[in-house]
């Protein structure tokens, strides 16, 4: 029997920096290109995001708004119907505006770096931090599909193979250090999204 470690996984420190505009801008780009197809950020407005993290409106419209009918003052809602999303994924993907406040930045940082190959799952991947997650590894082209690292542990008196980590398969566009930096930028943006006025307070 193979199980994943789940809640027992120690979380890595995100160490993100809300004052780093380049990081926030890259995080916004990653969010719009890899997350926004399924997840909204419906409590954010494009124009506010652009102003807060230093993106000129013309660049925002050209690079981060994919629907020509969407105006910069609108909320960041995607077009995927909840019913269709629930059918495809088993549940509608949650809005991510507040996910960093709910889950914590260290959890997000570790989670996005903890997918691994698992042919028994519908999308061919599982996650060390969130076992049996219903989400595909959307950053696969950047990271590749890591292989699981197993340890044998005694659980309830029985020896079981437990997934305790992952190792790169070398197929991603980024090496491990570059991928970690990209995830940090994405988490940085998600922390900003959950509390935009934190930038002003700082």
């Amino acid at each position: 029997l193979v199980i994943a470690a789940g809640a027992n996984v120690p979380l890595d420190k995100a160490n993100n920096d809300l004052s780093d505009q380049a990081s926030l801008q890259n995080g916004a780009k990653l969010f719009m290109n890899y997350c926004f197809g399924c997840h909204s950020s419906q409590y954010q407005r494009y124009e506010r995001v652009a102003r807060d993290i230093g993106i000129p409106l013309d660049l925002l419209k050209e690079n981060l708004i994919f629907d020509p009918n969407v105006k910069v003052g609108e909320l960041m809602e995607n077009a995927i119907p909840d019913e269709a999303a629930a059918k495809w994924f088993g549940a509608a993907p949650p809005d991510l505006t507040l996910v960093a406040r709910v889950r914590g930045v260290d959890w997000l940082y570790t989670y996005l770096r903890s997918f691994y190959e698992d042919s028994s799952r519908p999308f061919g991947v599982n996650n060390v931090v969130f076992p049996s997650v219903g989400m595909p590894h959307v950053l696969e082209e950047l990271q590749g599909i890591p292989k699981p690292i197993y340890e044998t542990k005694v659980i309830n008196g029985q020896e079981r193979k437990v997934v305790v980590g992952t190792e790169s398969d070398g197929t991603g566009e980024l090496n491990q250090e570059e991928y970690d930096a990209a995830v940090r930028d994405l988490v940085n943006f998600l922390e900003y999204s959950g509390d935009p006025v934190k930038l002003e307070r700082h």
Side-chain angles (χ1 to χ4, degrees), residues 67-171:
D67 182 345
N69 298 314
V70 170
K71 305 292 188 278
V72 294
E74 292 184 29
L75 295 169
M76 296 173 64
E77 298 178 295
N78 67 17
I80 187 172
D82 284 348
E83 289 180 9
K87 181 179 178 181
W88 298 332
F89 302 109
D95 180 85
L96 295 184
T97 315
L98 302 176
V99 69
R101 292 176 69 174
V102 174
R103 291 287 193 177
V105 293
D106 293 343
W107 188 94
L108 285 173
Y109 178 67
T110 308
Y111 165 71
L112 291 170
R113 295 162 50 255
S114 296
F115 280 91
Y116 64 89
E117 182 180 55
D118 183 350
S119 60
S120 71
R121 299 295 303 151
F123 294 107
V125 292
N126 210 328
N127 192 283
V128 180
V129 176
F130 193 158
S132 302
V133 66
M135 182 177 120
H137 183 21
V138 295
L139 301 175
E140 176 184 331
E141 74 173 349
L142 301 181
Q143 186 188 29
I145 304 181
K147 306 294 184 184
I149 298 172
Y150 296 102
E151 281 184 10
T152 300
K153 297 190 176 183
V154 177
I155 299 174
N156 297 328
Q158 294 184 336
E159 285 193 351
R160 302 193 179 183
K161 286 176 72 179
V162 177
V163 180
V164 294
T166 66
E167 59 184 351
S168 173
D169 69 345
T171 63

